[in-house]
Amino acid sequence: MRLWGSAFVLAVALSSTHASADPLQKSEDIVKFFAGASELGPSRGVCVGTEDECSSKKKEAPAEKSSLDMLINFGLDSAELDTTARAELDEFAKALKDSRLSTLSFLVEGYTDASGSARYNEGLSERRAQSVTAFLMSNGVDAARIKAIGLGETRPRNPDPYDPVNRRVEMRISTE
């Protein structure tokens, strides 16, 4: 059984317009970003010193970047991938096929804004996740490494429930 922890989040923001079909992220950049993901887990350490000294060391530690944003277009009330989305996902598929990422599995989560009923939005979010998953599989990503789910209008990225940025797909990357 796979353990789907929230290791890294690849937030794929779905906006309504995009002028260029050139991908924002190249596959090599994606591979480099996620290459360390197989060594996931909370870092642990011992601090020798007073409570104040140890607290200040924690504050000084650089924040670990945990997400990579890609802009992908879905039309309103649509699960169809446009040309720009296909270009972005093509680069992502290339990255996922790279041997440096071969041990990673992916949970593809689809989301919507609050425009429809909760039941309708669950179905639409599932179709969006399936659309991304089908594209990745058609580009050589092993089906056993990806699972699509729809989460409707839960966990919006923007507090405005009708904001188009909430119509998105997020890929959570974890090891088995």
Side-chain angles (χ1 to χ4, degrees):
M1 182 173 159
R2 293 184 177 190
L3 176 62
W4 294 101
S6 60
F8 282 92
V9 176
L10 174 62
V12 182
L14 306 175
S15 59
S16 58
T17 60
H18 218 299
S20 171
D22 291 334
L24 296 174
Q25 302 288 335
K26 299 294 184 192
S27 61
E28 183 60 24
D29 297 330
I30 296 167
V31 169
K32 287 178 183 176
F33 184 87
F34 289 113
S38 61
E39 300 169 10
L40 297 173
S43 59
R44 295 189 170 106
V46 176
C47 179
V48 178
T50 68
E51 187 175 337
D52 289 338
E53 289 171 334
C54 291
S55 294
S56 69
K57 286 180 185 177
K58 276 186 184 177
K59 291 176 187 174
E60 292 171 6
E64 184 177 316
K65 187 174 180 184
S66 63
S67 66
L68 177 69
D69 289 338
M70 298 171 67
L71 296 175
I72 294 183
N73 293 331
F74 275 103
L76 180 64
D77 194 29
S78 174
E80 297 297 318
L81 299 171
D82 67 12
T83 304
T84 303
R86 290 176 183 278
E88 291 290 329
L89 289 171
D90 186 52
E91 289 296 313
F92 193 66
K94 287 178 193 174
L96 299 186
K97 293 185 292 184
D98 189 286
S99 63
R100 293 170 284 179
L101 301 183
S102 64
T103 61
L104 300 178
S105 298
F106 310 88
L107 181 60
V108 181
E109 299 174 341
Y111 296 92
T112 65
D113 63 13
S115 295
S117 69
R119 183 178 177 148
Y120 180 80
N121 286 341
E122 286 177 26
L124 178 58
S125 65
E126 175 72 28
R127 290 190 302 276
R128 287 178 175 164
Q130 287 291 344
S131 180
V132 169
T133 300
F135 183 87
L136 293 173
M137 289 186 319
S138 73
N139 281 278
V141 177
D142 183 7
R145 293 177 60 203
I146 51 180
K147 178 183 175 185
I149 62 169
L151 297 170
E153 57 195 76
T154 64
R155 293 188 270 175
R157 287 191 78 175
N158 186 303
D160 174 1
Y162 298 98
D163 191 311
V165 77
N166 294 329
R167 299 189 297 258
R168 70 193 191 281
V169 171
E170 291 185 3
M171 289 173 247
R172 297 197 181 275
I173 300 176
S174 65
T175 58
E176 286 189 1

